[in-house]
């Protein structure tokens, strides 16, 4: 009877915590209290209950408590947007280098300086800081890139971008700002030191990038025409992000990746009258199947890496080495940081 | 990396320094370290773990289901190790200063 009363007191004290916190930690805290014998004697039960109530009210007052799902979600979104930005910036960077080359070699075209150079460099640095797990650097470079884009917009530099001069109809500029603001805002929500670097990025960002570009190259080789890199990168990033926030989405991610890569050729397969040729049906079907397989491969690699401990830089290197020299079974790398639970 | 650590936080980090532990094991280890029972309340422990996880200093290594209940195992991150190392060095420096000064006072007392 007394024991039941003590447990009721503890449960009552736990009720002071916010609902999401209770759902996350409540049963575990209750178990620890019972296991450690702190809910047996009246004096310790009351002392623990007062401590719980104080911390619970504090958690409500500050409204700052981390749930695994929330932090993981924010970190996953951060990585997804980083992949998207990396894709966009890498494409823009390549185009700029080509422009610079032709300008220097006296080809047609006037020498010009892209007003978004600072933005591109800023995003490259932000993604680098994310991979390095340097939180402050990530925040500074992300906000710098956003500020540079906004300054270019405000100063009317858009005309120099050869993108039509109207920023609202020029999605290539606006999406960079929108994605950039989202990325920069998320840097404050997600501690890069752990979630982004150790938990998410170490094994997954290289895999995502490899999966994205691998599928891109496959589809381009099959169709002999470039797929919309932006559209494909967007959906791929979303699909692969979904895969590692545990949405049981290997198949879902694969279908999304496949759809993304196959959708553009599908649209192009229609003629001006809206008719779809029989040949095009076969081609698009085969393309879809290959793209889905590419998606399954990419998401499966992520899930295999996911089952292992986050000490993955060495592990990722081992996996890469296995792929290069031929698969020789599951690479086993000693994990110096993970020790058996007490 | 420098940041001010309160005693409960320092104790939690110290308990996790040598190996990963779940909540109850962290409490038991803190009792062992401090040499006292009930050195930390459960509410304080989880508030500290939550704050440390938010700051990227500890992380959940694994979750297992024991008797139908979820049980998390926590561990220090590399950032957490740096934080603990810096704090331990700082405390060591301060303790040495205190011992030196106490030694000086004792020596002066003997001389008088």
């Amino acid at each position: 009877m007394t024991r039941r009363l003590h447990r009721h007191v503890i449960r009552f004290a736990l009720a002071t915590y916010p609902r999401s916190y209770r759902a996350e930690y409540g049963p575990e805290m209750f178990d620890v209290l019972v296991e450690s014998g702190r809910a047996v004697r009246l004096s310790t039960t009351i002392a623990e209950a007062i401590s719980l109530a104080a911390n619970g009210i504090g958690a409500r007052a500050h409204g700052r408590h981390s749930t695994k799902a929330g932090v993981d979600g924010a970190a996953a979104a951060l990585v997804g947007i980083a992949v998207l930005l990396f894709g966009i910036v890498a494409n823009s960077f390549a185009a700029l280098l080509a422009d610079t080359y032709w300008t220097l070699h006296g080809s047609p075209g006037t020498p010009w300086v892209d007003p978004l150079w600072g933005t591109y460099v800023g995003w490259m640095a932000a993604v680098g800081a994310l991979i390095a797990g340097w939180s402050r650097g990530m925040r500074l470079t992300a906000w710098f890139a956003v500020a540079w884009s906004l300054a270019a917009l405000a100063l009317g530099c858009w005309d120099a971008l050869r993108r039509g001069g109207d920023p609202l109809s020029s999605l290539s500029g606006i999406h960079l700002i929108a994605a950039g603001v989202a990325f920069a805002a998320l840097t404050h929500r997600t501690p890069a030191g752990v979630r982004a670097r150790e938990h998410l990025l170490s094994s997954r960002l290289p895999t995502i990038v490899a999966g994205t570009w691998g599928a891109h190259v496959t589809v381009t080789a099959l169709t002999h025409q470039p797929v919309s890199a932006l559209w494909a990168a967007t959906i791929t990033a979303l699909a692969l992000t979904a895969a590692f926030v545990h949405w049981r989405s290997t198949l879902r991610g694969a279908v999304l990746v496949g759809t993304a890569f196959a959708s553009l050729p599908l649209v192009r397969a229609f003629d001006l009258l809206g008719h779809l040729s029989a040949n095009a049906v076969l081609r698009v079907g085969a393309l879809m199947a290959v793209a889905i397989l590419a998606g399954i491969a990419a998401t499966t690699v992520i899930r295999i890496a996911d089952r292992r401990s986050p000490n993955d830089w060495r592990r990722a290197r081992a996996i890469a080495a296995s792929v290069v020299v031929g698969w020789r079974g599951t690479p086993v790398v000693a994990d110096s940081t993970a020790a058996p639970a007490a | 990396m420098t940041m001010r650590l309160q005693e409960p936080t320092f104790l939690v980090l110290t308990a996790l320094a040598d190996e990963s532990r779940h909540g109850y094991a962290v409490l038991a280890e803190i009792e062992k370290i401090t040499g006292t029972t009930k050195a930390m309340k459960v509410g304080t422990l989880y508030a500290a773990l939550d704050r440390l996880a938010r700051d990227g200093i500890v992380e959940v290594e694994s979750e297992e289901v024991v008797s139908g209940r979820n049980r998390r195992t926590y561990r220090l991150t590399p950032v957490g190790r740096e934080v603990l190392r810096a704090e331990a060095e700082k405390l060591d420096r301060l303790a040495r200063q205190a011992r030196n000064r106490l030694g000086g006072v004792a020596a002066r007392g003997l001389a008088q």
Side-chain angles (χ1 to χ4, degrees), chain A residues 21 24-25 27-29 31-33 35-36 38 48 51 55 64-66 68 191 194 310 338-339 341-342, chain B residues 19-20 22 24-25 27 31 38 40-44 46-47 50 54 56 59 61 63 69 72-75 77:
Chain A
Y21 191 104
E24 186 95 7
Y25 293 109
E28 189 178 324
M29 292 168 79
D31 284 349
V32 170
L33 278 161
E35 275 181 52
S36 59
R38 293 172 185 227
E48 289 289 349
S51 167
N55 281 296
R64 284 178 48 163
H65 59 277
S66 58
K68 184 176 177 299
V194 173
Chain B
E19 61 182 64
S20 313
H22 54 78
Y24 176 46
L27 273 185
E31 289 180 0
K38 317 287 186 291
M40 186 180 289
K41 302 278 190 298
V42 173
T44 310
Y46 277 88
D50 185 45
R54 202 169 52 227
E59 65 182 345
E61 181 189 78
E63 293 183 38
R69 296 292 183 90
R72 293 175 184 80
T73 302
Y74 300 89
R75 72 171 174 189
T77 65

Side-chain angles (χ1 to χ4, degrees), chain A residues 46-81:
Chain A
I46 289 174
E48 289 289 349
I50 290 171
S51 167
L52 286 177
N55 281 296
I57 291 165
R60 277 187 194 275
H62 292 110
R64 284 178 48 163
H65 59 277
S66 58
T67 61
K68 184 176 177 299
V71 175
D72 266 358
L78 191 71
V79 174
I81 296 174

Side-chain angles (χ1 to χ4, degrees), chain A residues 90-119:
Chain A
N91 280 344
S92 305
F93 214 71
L96 280 176
L97 288 178
D99 269 356
T100 308
Y101 175 83
W102 288 116
T103 302
L104 291 174
H105 285 75
S107 74
T110 52
W112 61 289
V113 177
D114 189 325
L116 289 185
W117 259 104
T119 303

